[in-house]
Amino acid sequence: MPESSRLRNRPCLIQLLFWGILLSFILGFTAEVDAETKTTPAKSPSQSPVDFTQEIQPLLAKHCYSCHGPDVQEGGLRLDQSDEAFKKLESEATAIVSRHPEQSELIARISPRDDGLQMPPEGEQLKQAQVELLKNWISQGAEWKKHWAFEPPRKQAPPSTQNQEWVQNPIDAFILKKLEQKGLFPAPPADRVALIRRAYFDLTGLPPTPEEVDQFVNNPAPDAYEKIIDRLLDSPHYGERWARHWLDLVRYADTNSYERDGNKPNAWRFRDYVIRSLNEDKPYAQFIKEQLAGDELDQVTNDSIIATGYYRLGLWDDEPADPLLSYYNELDDIVTTTSQVFLGLTLNCARCHEHKIDPIPHEDYYRFMAFFHGLNSYGIRSDQLSFNQTDITGTKLVTRYAELDEKQGELKQKMRAIEETGIKKMSGVDQRRSETRERKKLLEEKLAQFLEPAQMQEYQKMQSEMQELNAERKKLPPRKMALSVRRSLKEPRETFVLLRGNPHVKGEPVQPGFPEIFGGEQAIIPQPSAEQKTSGRRRVLAEWIADQDNLLTSRVIVNRIWQHHFGRGIVQSPNNFGQLGVPPTHPELLDWLALKFNDEGQRFKALHKLIMLSNTYQMSSQFSEEAATIDPANDLFWRFNMRRLSAEEVRDSILAVNGRLNSKMYGPGFYPQISKEVMQGQSKPGQGWGDSSEEERARRSVYIFVKRSLLTPLLFNFDFADTDSSCAVRFVTTQPAQALGMINGAFVNSQAEHLTERLLKDAGPEYPAFVARAIRLAYGRQPQPGEVDRGVQLIKSLIDKHQLSERQARDYFCLTILNRNEFVYLD
């Protein structure tokens, strides 16, 4: 039977498999954090102090700022500034009276009352625990601290703990201290199969082979796990895995979006640059400078030019209704992405007015924008390349191209002179024809008639020489172009505050400057030298962001590294460290990691190893009813959270398990097969979607061509990143399209057939060996008691009960193997 028809006759089985898989997905673990349930128990003045920045300020911001914040101060009360919050109100009452909650109008208004004056006037009222928290804070003196993120990281020694034996490194001390304060205990260690799978997926995004699992499980050496980490960090797959996290942040895609969604030529070079940089363990400061100012550095290299493609990755409208507004939208995208990705700040909230929550004036947004005002737009409709493509061809090749250009130019001039000699002898009609598109045809038809034989012979000789030069040119490698910043202005445009963010209504002019919350440091822009091609403004900004003394840069990046190892950051809003962000669960640990990262040269691999060697990372995901009652969201890390594989990991694991994964690195993206039905979602179905070979389609998912208007369905179903803006955290959903795609999708069904072929080669035709090998390949572990028998029974029942061929039955069994929760979840 042809392979294409093997899985065709399956009506009864489809229902059985679909509902089984759908139920398993629904029952699968999905971690959800509900901010409303994170209520801090009330504290009395005799207890530990109430933390203003972590407990009080977020409460005020969420429930009070809309009426008593930067824009509106009803009743004369403003609660976002300390010097205003303690003043007398229009009613002559005082909202906050230090150490006297009974005299504080704030407490009176938020407490339950029947006179219609309870605050907030609309929406959900504060819970009693929150009211008590505010009372305790006032009783303790109502200390109004600066937001934690706007204070420098503090050096501190890891805390002492009762259970010193569990502390493998300082990370464990910080985690265990908080657990002990709550009377909690860390979960037991993960078993070795779970641990090696966790390490492989975290660092490479690929599963270990059964042989690699066995080697680790059977290795009693105390440094066996450490050696695994070292080997994975040295693997080229490490860069492929961790580059995807960075690409999410910088809104990477290969197209521009909007209706036409045209290509961004050579965007893939930026993706490859990120992979190489991570594999080389490039210091983070250098990584920052290359992306923000790679064309302004002392040593400009191909990599630093490619890195400036960062500025060209965003959306671009090739036919805007308002070109000026469109340009400022491009700048806003750059300000937004830069401030969120590198600083964890939402500067974009101050585009139209003063920031609603954080102390960021309206002017700060435009001072920050001024650093980028030498950049030109991505392009214009008639010229979509001049401002975003830079020639990075090697010196020797450039020289050879230049030599050919010169020879061909001289030859064309000589040929043109001979042509004009003949054209002057032609009729007036033909002379005018020579000035049109008909010139080439005219010369072919009549030139020989109006030249002397010697002239024509010389002309034909020149034609032969030109053909030889063209042939030589074709033999040369093509020029290398990079998506990048090109033609940045040496004298940037003047920057104005735009009233309500409208570029057509200019306010006061501003100069480049850093946000005031960083202490008022002045941005000093050196006068550009005569040979300098740009203003140098972006370099000043890049060096300030990359400086180890920056309040936020190191905190933000170590939080991101932690996030991708544990499923969430110490700060759970990784792009927002401001006052509406989620406060850190372990602020002391965050500062310790940030300073440690700086001290060790801002190298990512050392940080990975430090985290992964901790007992905190090596815990199992074992559930504890007692711990879940006290800390249901696992904010204190009393266990390791289960996690579902990312979209790319799901697809890559399928290819790895069936043996078809193509490990080829770098180069232009490939195009997976997409059904015609999905293509219909485009304004012009199929436009801009290429056709790749089957070998190319077996490459890792990081190399898929990312078309904003046509995301690969399997990746989309498993929560691929939003490419329109910086994506700091991907959603993790459990929804029917995942089960439908995994059990009915053409890709997974075809890959199940390839898995069957591999199993027949590896294990032979005997059912028990076939089933056992499938379990080992897919899950890494040994089959559990009775598991092989159940697999064999499934294959036989598909043959006997559902009248499938033996090959179809094996294919269906492999399909079920790829559809188990265990395949798409870790731990």
Side-chain angles (χ1 to χ4, degrees):
M1 179 179 291
E3 287 192 4
S4 60
S5 62
R6 286 178 185 159
L7 304 180
R8 190 172 297 162
N9 301 317
R10 52 184 182 185
C12 296
L13 185 60
I14 283 290
Q15 295 176 9
L16 175 65
L17 289 175
F18 166 72
W19 289 110
I21 297 299
L22 179 58
L23 179 61
S24 68
F25 269 88
I26 292 173
L27 295 177
F29 176 85
T30 301
E32 296 180 352
V33 177
D34 183 355
E36 290 291 338
T37 65
K38 292 185 177 179
T39 304
T40 306
K43 302 178 182 179
S44 68
S46 61
Q47 291 179 320
S48 57
V50 178
D51 191 305
F52 174 79
T53 59
Q54 293 198 48
E55 300 173 289
I56 300 302
Q57 193 280 331
L59 194 63
L60 296 176
K62 183 173 183 179
H63 295 280
C64 307
Y65 281 8
S66 60
C67 297
H68 307 287
D71 288 340
V72 181
Q73 297 91 41
E74 292 188 5
L77 174 60
R78 182 169 183 173
L79 289 171
D80 66 313
Q81 294 181 358
S82 59
D83 55 348
E84 296 289 333
F86 293 90
K87 288 183 178 180
K88 278 196 174 185
L89 308 175
E90 293 173 359
S91 63
E92 296 300 318
T94 303
I96 301 172
V97 181
S98 178
R99 301 196 182 280
H100 292 283
E102 74 284 354
Q103 299 176 19
S104 301
E105 185 70 9
L106 173 67
I107 300 300
R109 290 298 186 94
I110 63 174
S111 300
R113 53 195 297 165
D114 300 324
D115 56 5
L117 298 177
Q118 185 174 354
M119 297 290 137
E122 297 177 355
E124 185 181 357
Q125 302 297 312
L126 270 68
K127 297 178 174 64
Q128 185 58 37
Q130 294 171 319
V131 174
E132 292 299 320
L133 187 66
L134 286 164
K135 283 183 180 179
N136 289 336
W137 170 65
I138 294 174
S139 297
Q140 294 172 11
E143 184 180 2
W144 199 289
K145 293 182 179 178
K146 196 174 182 180
H147 185 60
W148 68 269
F150 307 149
E151 296 278 8
R154 292 179 296 174
K155 284 191 176 182
Q156 49 200 310
S160 58
T161 59
Q162 297 172 19
N163 182 10
Q164 282 296 321
E165 293 183 2
W166 191 79
V167 176
Q168 183 74 21
N169 68 27
I171 290 174
D172 298 328
F174 286 104
I175 296 297
L176 184 59
K177 183 66 175 180
K178 289 216 167 188
L179 290 175
E180 290 178 343
Q181 288 173 350
K182 294 290 186 180
L184 299 177
F185 301 93
D191 66 66
R192 290 176 79 80
V193 174
L195 186 60
I196 189 174
R197 280 175 59 80
R198 182 186 300 171
Y200 265 73
F201 276 108
D202 275 8
L203 291 182
T204 70
L206 295 171
T209 65
E211 293 72 27
E212 289 167 332
V213 173
D214 290 344
Q215 185 179 14
F216 175 63
V217 169
N218 298 322
N219 186 352
D223 63 347
Y225 174 60
E226 183 177 359
K227 286 183 176 179
I228 288 284
I229 294 174
D230 289 337
R231 181 162 56 81
L232 295 177
L233 288 172
D234 286 338
S235 166
H237 295 313
Y238 159 75
E240 293 175 321
R241 167 61 175 156
W242 281 81
R244 186 62 255 179
H245 298 316
W246 189 258
L247 297 177
D248 283 3
L249 290 171
V250 298
R251 75 268 190 250
Y252 175 85
D254 292 287
T255 61
N256 293 316
S257 191
Y258 294 94
E259 182 180 0
R260 271 178 285 273
D261 198 18
N263 289 359
K264 291 183 181 294
N266 301 302
W268 57 269
R269 292 195 193 278
F270 180 87
R271 174 246 292 151
D272 290 355
Y273 156 79
V274 177
I275 294 172
R276 286 195 306 273
S277 296
L278 293 175
N279 277 334
E280 294 166 5
D281 204 16
K282 184 175 292 181
Y284 186 51
Q286 182 182 348
F287 193 54
I288 293 171
K289 293 174 187 177
E290 287 176 346
Q291 290 176 77
L292 296 182
D295 58 326
E296 296 186 333
L297 302 179
D298 291 335
Q299 298 295 326
V300 176
T301 65
N302 280 358
D303 258 11
S304 71
I305 291 294
I306 293 169
T308 64
Y310 162 83
Y311 290 109
R312 302 309 191 189
L313 295 174
L315 309 185
W316 178 64
D317 187 355
D318 62 3
E319 196 173 24
D322 184 338
L324 184 63
L325 177 60
S326 179
Y327 173 63
Y328 274 91
N329 286 342
E330 286 185 65
L331 290 178
D332 179 70
D333 172 62
I334 292 169
V335 170
T336 300
T337 306
T338 303
S339 63
Q340 291 184 7
V341 169
F342 297 104
L343 300 172
L345 288 178
T346 56
L347 282 181
N348 52 299
C349 294
R351 178 182 182 179
C352 303
H353 45 67
E354 189 170 306
H355 198 292
K356 296 288 188 182
I357 306 300
D358 294 330
I360 301 174
H362 190 34
E363 294 78 11
D364 269 8
Y365 172 89
Y366 291 97
R367 282 192 281 265
F368 200 79
M369 176 188 284
F371 286 109
F372 308 113
H373 223 164
L375 295 172
N376 291 302
S377 173
Y378 175 89
I380 56 177
R381 182 73 185 278
S382 60
D383 182 2
Q384 300 186 18
L385 299 176
S386 294
F387 298 131
N388 62 60
Q389 296 292 313
T390 303
D391 192 332
I392 57 170
T393 310
T395 305
K396 290 183 179 180
L397 189 57
V398 167
T399 302
R400 186 58 189 144
Y401 268 113
E403 291 172 352
L404 290 174
D405 288 342
E406 184 178 359
K407 288 180 180 179
Q408 288 180 313
E410 292 175 354
L411 199 55
K412 283 179 182 178
Q413 287 182 357
K414 293 177 181 179
M415 293 174 67
R416 183 88 179 187
I418 295 176
E419 291 167 0
E420 291 300 320
T421 300
I423 289 172
K424 288 178 182 178
K425 299 177 183 179
M426 297 181 186
S427 67
V429 173
D430 283 340
Q431 288 182 21
R432 288 190 294 273
R433 188 182 172 197
S434 72
E435 297 172 357
T436 68
R437 296 178 182 176
E438 295 286 315
R439 180 185 178 93
K440 183 178 179 182
K441 187 176 181 181
L442 172 69
L443 295 175
E444 291 173 351
E445 292 174 352
K446 297 185 176 182
L447 183 60
Q449 301 173 26
F450 296 93
L451 292 178
E452 298 296 329
Q455 289 178 313
M456 191 62 195
Q457 185 176 3
E458 184 181 1
Y459 184 76
Q460 290 174 336
K461 182 180 178 182
M462 290 180 182
Q463 284 182 314
S464 298
E465 290 178 15
M466 183 64 76
Q467 290 175 355
E468 291 175 3
L469 291 173
N470 286 333
E472 188 174 350
R473 178 183 286 273
K474 288 181 180 179
K475 292 179 183 179
L476 293 176
R479 289 179 180 271
K480 290 175 62 177
M481 306 298 289
L483 184 74
S484 56
V485 167
R486 186 178 175 217
R487 298 183 181 176
S488 181
L489 301 179
K490 188 170 184 176
E491 295 183 7
R493 304 166 185 86
E494 190 172 8
T495 306
F496 297 87
V497 172
L498 304 181
L499 303 185
R500 300 187 68 81
N502 186 343
H504 297 287
V505 185
K506 295 179 179 179
E508 295 295 320
V510 294
Q511 294 300 314
F514 310 127
E516 290 179 3
I517 58 175
F518 289 89
E521 180 185 348
Q522 297 297 309
I524 301 173
I525 314 293
Q527 187 67 27
S529 61
E531 65 274 7
Q532 193 171 319
K533 296 180 180 179
T534 68
S535 68
R537 287 185 177 185
R538 287 178 287 111
R539 178 175 179 174
V540 171
L541 176 65
E543 290 177 343
W544 174 77
I545 290 176
D547 193 291
Q548 291 193 7
D549 291 332
N550 190 291
L551 297 177
L552 288 172
T553 305
S554 295
R555 279 171 165 161
V556 168
I557 191 60
V558 299
N559 185 66
R560 297 191 193 282
I561 300 298
W562 183 277
Q563 167 195 343
H564 293 302
H565 279 301
F566 289 94
R568 67 162 180 79
I570 297 172
V571 176
Q572 294 185 50
S573 53
N575 266 15
N576 187 0
F577 276 41
Q579 295 181 107
L580 269 190
V582 181
T585 55
H586 298 74
E588 299 84 4
L589 173 58
L590 182 65
D591 280 0
W592 186 87
L593 287 170
L595 295 173
K596 179 78 170 175
F597 181 66
N598 285 340
D599 291 343
E600 297 191 351
Q602 296 189 333
R603 302 279 185 172
F604 288 124
K605 291 187 178 182
L607 181 59
H608 288 305
K609 187 171 181 178
L610 176 69
I611 290 173
M612 296 179 71
L613 286 178
S614 70
N615 277 329
T616 302
Y617 179 84
Q618 296 177 56
M619 279 192 288
S620 70
S621 58
Q622 181 174 308
F623 185 77
S624 165
E625 193 73 45
E626 179 184 1
T629 301
I630 297 172
D631 180 24
N634 192 28
D635 284 339
L636 302 178
F637 298 102
W638 50 268
R639 68 166 179 159
F640 195 92
N641 283 329
M642 291 177 65
R643 81 167 177 91
R644 200 204 66 206
L645 300 184
S646 67
E648 294 91 338
E649 287 173 310
V650 171
R651 181 183 176 278
D652 293 352
S653 295
I654 292 171
L655 292 168
V657 164
N658 70 17
R660 293 193 66 247
L661 184 66
N662 178 357
S663 60
K664 173 186 172 183
M665 297 181 69
Y666 307 128
F670 68 91
Y671 301 89
Q673 278 188 318
I674 293 181
S675 68
K676 292 182 180 178
E677 293 79 5
V678 175
M679 293 282 193
Q680 294 302 315
Q682 294 184 283
S683 60
K684 293 185 178 180
Q687 186 177 55
W689 197 252
D691 186 21
S692 299
S693 67
E694 283 302 312
E695 184 180 9
E696 281 289 300
R697 287 174 178 157
R699 296 179 68 194
R700 293 201 65 175
S701 301
V702 72
Y703 299 111
I704 287 178
F705 185 88
V706 181
K707 188 173 182 64
R708 283 188 158 106
S709 63
L710 191 65
L711 296 179
T712 304
L714 181 67
L715 301 189
F716 178 80
N717 290 341
F718 279 94
D719 310 307
F720 185 73
D722 175 14
T723 59
D724 287 353
S725 58
S726 177
C727 180
V729 181
R730 292 189 183 185
F731 291 112
V732 180
T733 65
T734 303
Q735 40 93 5
Q738 294 167 351
L740 289 169
M742 288 291 286
I743 200 165
N744 288 330
F747 173 78
V748 182
N749 274 271
S750 66
Q751 299 310 314
E753 295 176 4
H754 288 298
L755 178 56
T756 297
E757 293 168 2
R758 176 179 184 176
L759 292 173
L760 288 171
K761 291 178 182 178
D762 286 3
E766 296 299 322
Y767 292 152
F770 183 90
V771 171
R773 183 61 177 169
I775 293 169
R776 290 302 321 272
L777 285 171
Y779 316 132
R781 60 173 174 79
Q782 295 288 345
Q784 298 171 352
E787 191 173 13
V788 171
D789 292 339
R790 290 193 294 273
V792 172
Q793 289 171 10
L794 174 60
I795 294 174
K796 290 181 177 179
S797 69
L798 291 172
I799 296 172
D800 300 336
K801 191 174 180 179
H802 297 280
Q803 288 78 52
L804 299 182
S805 69
E806 182 179 344
R807 179 56 193 265
Q808 282 181 310
R810 290 181 189 269
D811 290 343
Y812 272 121
F813 169 75
C814 289
L815 189 62
T816 64
I817 285 290
L818 299 179
N819 271 276
R820 289 191 193 177
N821 268 0
E822 189 175 359
F823 187 75
V824 295
Y825 281 90
L826 289 181
D827 293 298

